[in-house]
């Protein structure tokens, strides 16, 4: 009875808040999409888009240099090349990447892949459809499915080996005649009078070379050595992800991952091929055992293995014994804090990182690529670096709905999932799982944000208030005694202390009040004879209609 009362009261209040938030969100989305549609509907000019000034910097054969050929770099190179730009990609290592992160693409990220014309890059790499997660806590299961009912049947998440996906993207990009891909390590940016003119790099044989272009886009990943000159590079490492590859086993539910919540570390499992399962153990940064001396293997056997699902236990133990199968990756968090630099732009993990526990990095990167492609489409002349830089400042506001929503969810959930030894955090875990079990708009709304299908800061705020109402209600019933009131206040304090710092780091104004940010209204410079074509639908004329008109239609 008490549970039904909580649900009823919470549902009424949450519904009222939800109507207000979703209405405001629809208004903001409409304004933002209309702005991008107006820009992207402009005809992309043919011919040389670089002014011939007589200097070697201006006469080059490259319009745009892209540093890094990972997911963001390769996808961007293909998009710009398809629009007629002459693109030069420089990647430090063209061998197939061998990483334990960047293996999950949300449904929202797959839709971005379709918008870019790159959906075939998940073919022929044994990628697996991914429909959601099952959460395990104290013997109870909570199923979290992505809300895909209103989408076409092929729309879902995808999981795969990161290296296979990246190689497909590189091959697709370099297949364009106006896109060149070469191996080289970019050592520094070429800067003159405050304007980035190109890069210095070492090629495969160690020869030092230079490359010039009106615009340099840096997307060389989480280990970028160029970000320091283009942003405020404060990186936090709250934990490390310990990765194992399990074979000869299957997850309990096909096309679903599993998250096991328990002390001392949460365990994440998902398929990366038809025969392999990736197991990720999130270990706090101050407690990471050494792999070389066997401490990590001992930790996994004694502390983690007892929490693993019974059907995976033998495979887990075998994976520990396999030589070289234990790999560690720092889980980095870095808010986007760019410096406006004429002639250069920073995107992808070089600009912004969130905890990798939820696997949202590729979705944010592809969303960034779509926005940047649409902003660059109407530009005929890239030579006026100051004007172009001022115009592209709007990119950092337009990316906020997707990036801030996924960033905050990833960082908050990592803290909630990793704090089972703290009674207040334990209560927060149970509250979150109970909220998901309510189903309907509560469960689907949360999973719609997490999957990138409804990337809305306002929806994030709505669900935070709803969880707060539900959590406090659980603590106060059946009678609000002084002790229960104190527990309710402590619950709100703990929840707020986790969420609010991440909101602050993302930028309250850009997240919730983007219409008050001057950069939001920047329009393409008209220098160079830009021609405007009036039909707004030209923005998506070559795209598959897979996305519902707004978040409300998902719920």
């Amino acid at each position: 009875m008490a549970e039904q009362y909580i649900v009823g009261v919470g549902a009424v209040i949450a519904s009222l808040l939800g109507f207000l938030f979703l209405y405001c969100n629809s208004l903001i989305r409409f304004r933002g999409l209309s702005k991008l549609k107006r820009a992207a509907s402009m005809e992309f000019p043919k011919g040389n888009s670089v002014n011939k000034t007589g200097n070697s910097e201006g006469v080059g054969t490259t319009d745009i240099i892209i540093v890094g050929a990972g997911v963001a770099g390769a996808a961007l190179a293909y998009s710009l090349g398809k629009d007629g730009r002459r693109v030069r990609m420089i990647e430090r290592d063209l061998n197939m990447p061998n990483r334990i992160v960047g293996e999950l693409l949300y449904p929202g990220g797959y839709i971005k892949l379709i918008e870019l014309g790159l959906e075939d890059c998940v073919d022929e790499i044994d990628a697996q459809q991914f429909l959601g997660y099952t959460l395990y806590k104290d013997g109870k299961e909570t199923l979290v499915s992505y809300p895909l009912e209103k989408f076409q049947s092929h729309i879902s998440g995808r999981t795969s080996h990161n290296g296979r996906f990246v190689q497909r993207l590189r091959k697709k990009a370099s297949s364009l005649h106006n896109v060149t891909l070469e191996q080289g390590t970019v050592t520094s940016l070429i800067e003159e009078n405050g304007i980035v003119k190109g890069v210095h790099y070492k090629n495969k044989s160690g020869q030092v070379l230079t490359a010039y272009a009106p615009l340099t886009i840096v997307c060389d990943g989480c280990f970028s050595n160029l970000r320091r000159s283009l942003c405020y590079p404060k990186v936090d490492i709250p934990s490390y992800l310990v990765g194992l590859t399990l074979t000869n086993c299957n997850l309990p539910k096909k096309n679903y991952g599993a998250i096991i919540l328990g002390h001392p570390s949460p365990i994440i499992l998902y398929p990366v091929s038809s025969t392999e399962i990736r197991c990720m153990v999130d270990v706090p940064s101050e407690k990471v055992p050494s792999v070389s001396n066997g401490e990590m293997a001992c930790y996994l056997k004694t502390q983690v293995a007892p929490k693993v699902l019974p059907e995976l236990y033998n495979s887990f133990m075998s994976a520990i014994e396999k030589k070289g199968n234990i790999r560690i990756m720092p889980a980095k968090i870095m808010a986007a804090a760019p410096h406006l630099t004429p002639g250069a732009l920073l995107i992808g993990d070089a600009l912004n990182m969130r905890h990798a526990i939820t696997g949202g990095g590729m979705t944010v990167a592809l969303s960034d690529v779509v926005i940047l492609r649409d902003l660059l489409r109407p530009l005929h002349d890239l030579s006026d670096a100051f004007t172009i830089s001022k115009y592209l400042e709007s990119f950092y506001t337009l990316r906020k709905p997707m990036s801030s929503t996924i960033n905050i969810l990833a960082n908050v959930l990592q803290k909630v999932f990793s704090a089972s030894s703290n009674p207040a955090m334990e209560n927060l875990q149970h509250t979150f799982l109970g909220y998901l079990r309510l189903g309907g708009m509560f469960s689907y709304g949360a999973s719609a944000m997490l999957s990138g299908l409804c990337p809305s800061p306002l929806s994030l705020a709505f669900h935070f208030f709803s969880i707060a109402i539900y959590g406090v209600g659980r603590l106060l019933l059946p009678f609000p005694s002084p002790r229960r009131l104190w527990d309710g206040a402590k619950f709100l304090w703990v929840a707020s202390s986790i969420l609010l710092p991440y909101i602050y780091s993302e930028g309250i104004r850009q997240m919730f009040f983007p219409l008050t940010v001057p950069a939001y209204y920047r329009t393409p410079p008209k220098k160079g004879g830009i021609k405007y074509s009036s039909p707004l639908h030209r923005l998506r004329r070559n795209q598959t209609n897979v996305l519902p008109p707004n978040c409300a239609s998902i719920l």
Side-chain angles (χ1 to χ4, degrees), residues 97-158:
N98 185 16
R99 307 178 67 204
I100 59 171
V101 294
E103 297 177 321
L104 170 59
L105 184 64
Y106 290 160
Y110 181 71
I111 289 172
K112 298 300 179 185
L113 209 62
I114 294 173
E115 292 185 27
L116 295 168
L118 292 167
E119 65 272 21
D120 59 339
C121 290
V122 296
D123 298 337
E124 302 176 10
I125 60 172
D126 201 13
Q128 304 297 299
Q129 278 202 318
F130 195 74
L131 305 177
Y133 279 103
T134 303
L135 303 178
Y136 296 88
K137 171 74 175 175
D138 298 334
K140 295 181 179 180
E141 300 179 11
T142 305
L143 185 66
V144 181
S145 297
Y146 297 145
L148 301 171
E149 292 82 357
K150 296 182 182 294
F151 294 86
Q152 297 175 14
S153 59
H154 68 286
I155 301 298
S156 68
R158 295 292 193 279

Side-chain angles (χ1 to χ4, degrees), residues 8 16 42 83 112 133 164 227 232 247 277 419 534:
L16 292 174
M42 302 170 190
D83 280 347
K112 298 300 179 185
Y133 279 103
R164 297 175 185 174
R227 71 160 60 100
Y232 178 63
T247 56
I277 293 172
S534 56

Side-chain angles (χ1 to χ4, degrees), residues 338-379:
H339 303 150
L340 200 60
T341 307
L345 195 72
L346 197 61
I347 71 166
D349 282 352
L351 165 70
N352 182 204
M353 290 178 282
R354 74 292 312 147
H355 199 283
I357 193 170
T358 59
M362 288 198 296
T363 298
V364 173
L366 291 171
S367 175
D368 284 355
V369 170
V370 170
I371 293 170
L372 186 55
R373 175 204 64 179
D374 291 346
L375 288 173
L376 288 172
R377 267 184 172 167
L379 300 183

Side-chain angles (χ1 to χ4, degrees), residues 64-67 76 80 215-219 344-345 347 372 376:
I64 296 175
I65 294 171
I66 295 179
V67 181
L76 182 61
L80 298 178
L215 180 61
T216 299
I217 300 176
V218 176
C219 44
L345 195 72
I347 71 166
L372 186 55
L376 288 172

Side-chain angles (χ1 to χ4, degrees), residues 33-43 377 531-542:
L33 286 175
S34 296
K35 178 179 184 287
L36 271 183
K37 286 177 180 179
R38 286 195 299 272
S41 65
M42 302 170 190
E43 293 181 359
R377 267 184 172 167
K531 297 179 181 179
Y532 294 81
S533 56
S534 56
L536 298 182
H537 67 272
R538 285 172 61 102
L539 174 65
R540 297 290 184 255
R541 66 186 182 275
N542 295 321

